[in-house]
Amino acid sequence: MAQAISPPEALGEDKRGRGAGYSSDAAGLGRLRAGAFVAPALLLIAAFLVFPALWVLYLGLTNYRLTGAAAAEPSFVGLDNFTGAVADPGFWNSTWLTVQFVLGSAVIGQVVLGFTIAWLLRDRRGPLKRLVEGLVILAWILPSAVVSFLWVALLDRDGGTLNALLGIPGFPWLLDHPMLSIVIFNTWRGTAFSMMLYGAALGNVPPSHLESARLAGASGWQQLRDVVFPHIRGHILTNLLLISLWTFNDFSPFLLTAGGPDGRSEVLAVHVYKVALQSGELGHGAAVSTIILLINLVVAVFYLRLLRSKS
Amino acid sequence: MTPRFVLGRIGFYTLIAVLLAFFTVPLLWLVTAPFTSDPTYEVRMPDFTWENFQAVVEHPYALPSLWNSLVLSVGTALLVVVLAALAAYALSRVRLPGRDALLYALLLLSSIVTGTAAMVPLFQLAVELNLIDSQLGLILILSGGLLPAAIFMLKDFVDSTPQSYEESARVFGASPLQIVRHVVVPLVRPGLATIAVWAVANVWGNFLMPYLLLSDVEKQPAAVITYTLYTEGGQANLRMLSTFGLLYSVPVVLMYLFVSKKYGFRFHGGIKR
Amino acid sequence: MAAIELRGLTKVYPGGVKALDALDLVIPDGEFFALLGPSGCGKTTLLRTIAGLEAATGGSVLIGERDVTGTQPGGRDVAMVFQDYALFPHMDVTDNIAYPLRIKKVPKGTRRDKAAEVGARLGLEHLMDRRPGQLSGGQQQRVALARVMATQAQAFLFDEPLSNLDARLRLEARTFLKKLQRELGVTTVFVTHDQAEALAMADRMAVMEAGHIRQIGTPAEVFRRPANTFVAAFIGSTPMNLLDGTVRGDTLEVAGCKVAVPASAQGRLRDGETIVYGVRPEYMAYSAGPAEGALGGKVAIVENLGASHLVTLDVGEVIVQAVVPEGDEPAVGDDGYALPRRDRALVYRDGELVG
């Protein structure tokens, strides 16, 4: 901090000098008290968010196991876990499944469905809109354990409602088409977010623009293409990134299929669980977790860049 | 009425009907099975019996798990609201060094360190430090996860509250802590309420963390008990699952209704920025 | 009751922006003083620096002979009304008015009585239990005033006190505020961007631009003899005519016409120098026929001001405006002659008033 002899021009706020010696934030908190206000939250975040993220890097470099000799005395194995993970076909299987999961349920499913519903209901205000939105949102806010079982019940081969409606009793959805099942499930589950986002975005399109296009003779499709999409283009990309990030990290397929049968729906989140907590290979699991963290980092940085360039 | 218009209308209503069906059908079981004696996977007209609810009450772990969910949710919400409010206020009003970098880092952190990414280190640390089965530990972990986003949302809220109230009180001679007590807290109450509800909703449905870190059945929240009900012990207990599932779901739905009525809570998916 | 004095007051923001540049000002005890200027001129910064909400970078602020430059805002014994009134929405009117007394640890009964007393003085008796959200703009303003009155501070500071009221109410509030200040006799500084408001309410005013004070004076002084072309252009509901001209012996050549040298500038001009000639449209005598020393041209626009008209003349390549009483207004296209009053016309050299 500058001392009292500094020339006036060099002084800023909060510095001691011929000017005032007190803080000029609205309530006069001052830096010290403000720091004390922020500290507890930062402490908790550092302990339970930052530290685990760093710790997982360390774990990935050891041969830690849940049971056995290595549990008592883990040793440093360098990048063995990472090379092991990359060489493991199970890892690549899970990665590929996760890509399908994200593409299918987020990029295509939730976005298309969310936008469609928002577009269909854009001009309506009444009970129909509230009913549709209410049901979509219900799917989102119900606890994950409950909705997972609702779908297990829906897809049950003998008594499930889907087979009853389609008239094909005995068809084992979860066994024969596990990926399709979880993709549709996740689409159903997550559409609400995209629906509300696009609803807000559509609401921000100035009606005068749409009306000018209509007066010029544009059809619904043309209005969509020429007026609406340019306005919401920025939102589409940020929305995509965000829900892709969420879906990539989503653990709920575990609740539906537990990764089976035979790992045919074992997305990365479930894979980590199986490797680390069921097989007990914590080191290996940590390596995969690190890879997940890195992928998250890339997507998140990209997302934040986009957000910044918009504002 | 041109044919084109009529076709358009038909198309619209067909599409709406399909969408309604898609979103309604999976939910039907949840509202019919609990009231059906001896429920199966089928969706049938219920015969309006209360015996399933009785079974839930008699189940040794069902209602206690709801209590556990409550403890976890309310505990986390309290911690998050208090810590986030303090931090958000300070970050909004005082120009701390490195503030912008800190906010960016918080945003980044909360997006990157998810339950999936952190499950291994958290589990290992809990085992190592003998913290498995600690509800307090779980509350701390969940709070840590929710704090960055909570700070963000609250800071936004405080930013949009005019400073003139605090300055006015200051010129009248109030000390900073008096200002926070008399002026700031009453002003940000709606924001605090929203964050509290958001935190409760998040923790109420959270499966992974309690599943990982609580092994004692008597401490497990409803999310884990629900899962247990259909994965352990052979045949899924449909009576329990439907009824307990319904009971477990109702509070969250009520909360959402309450908040959206009172504050017109419409989550804009980030558009507001 | 106290005088306010500023000595060399400077405020520089981090990044180098100089909001206040070595200001000197003395506001005597009991005066109703206006800080007037366009947005960004520093008037609000100055007010907040007097209150202590902004810390001065250099110079000093004295309130009642006491140097308060280093004193916290709560310790300066001033009270401030903010532009949005800052009435605490969760407290009722009584608690709002009593708030400063609560901070001073006045017992509850005493402060509620005091609040009721002050509230009654401003006509708020039947509103004391309401919340600010239930009050109209004018009522909120009176509550804010009651709150500062309850403090019995040495000086009052008002930040744009009338700008949140609608136009009709604003005029009534002007009279009300002026009367109130006169009764209370407390030194009051108020900030405004509306020159008509400043002229109407203030005992004296300071016109500011870009962190500097450009003129200090009574409303009459500032209106009749603006010290520079900035103040001349800023003050007045109808803009002053400011026309380039040249000195030609004992007359001035302005817009191609010959006008007399104003009384104030007599004997101070050099032959041949370029000057700016200033005269308010209200100080012009208008005639349809030519007059000696008048500015003549063709009527381009006639605007109805109510009891008078604003006539715009094309004189050569410039426009000259004159206010014409009702009944005398010309038609567009007529010839017109505007004769400036010799005792009200002004001459500016390099932007500064001559004489």
Side-chain angles (χ1 to χ4, degrees), chain A residues 1-3 6 10-24 31, chain C residues 55-57:
Chain A
M1 286 221 184
Q3 292 313 304
S6 316
L11 291 175
E13 298 179 38
D14 285 356
K15 298 213 170 173
R16 303 208 155 268
R18 279 165 50 226
Y22 59 83
S23 27
S24 16
R31 286 210 180 144
Chain C
T57 332

Side-chain angles (χ1 to χ4, degrees), chain A residues 87-226:
Chain A
D88 175 20
F91 172 72
W92 290 109
N93 174 51
S94 291
T95 308
W96 172 233
L97 290 174
T98 314
V99 168
Q100 289 176 35
F101 186 53
V102 171
L103 275 179
S105 71
V107 174
I108 299 175
Q110 290 175 23
V111 170
V112 168
L113 203 55
F115 182 78
T116 308
I117 300 177
W119 177 252
L120 284 176
L121 296 176
R122 69 191 181 283
D123 288 327
R124 313 190 127 240
R125 298 273 166 264
L128 184 65
K129 178 174 185 165
R130 283 201 295 269
L131 179 66
V132 174
E133 285 189 345
L135 286 171
V136 176
I137 291 175
L138 202 60
W140 192 45
I141 64 176
L142 287 178
S144 53
V146 173
V147 293
S148 301
F149 186 71
L150 285 179
W151 276 74
V152 168
L154 179 76
L155 299 176
D156 184 69
R157 62 188 300 177
D158 298 313
T161 319
L162 186 62
N163 287 350
L165 285 174
L166 294 177
I168 40 169
F171 189 79
W173 289 98
L174 288 173
L175 288 177
D176 281 359
H177 299 280
M179 276 308 291
L180 184 63
S181 305
I182 64 173
V183 164
I184 306 270
F185 166 71
N186 195 244
T187 305
W188 182 87
R189 175 98 164 120
T191 294
F193 180 75
S194 301
M195 176 188 77
M196 290 193 283
L197 184 137
Y198 289 121
L202 287 175
N204 280 352
V205 175
S208 52
H209 289 216
L210 285 168
E211 285 163 359
S212 307
R214 235 175 83 200
L215 283 172
S219 71
W221 273 115
Q222 287 167 324
Q223 287 176 46
L224 199 65
R225 181 192 67 195
D226 298 326

Side-chain angles (χ1 to χ4, degrees), chain C residues 56-72:
Chain C
T57 332
S60 45
V61 178
L62 290 93
I63 300 183
E65 317 273 304
R66 189 169 67 109
D67 186 332
V68 295
T69 324
T71 317
Q72 295 257 12

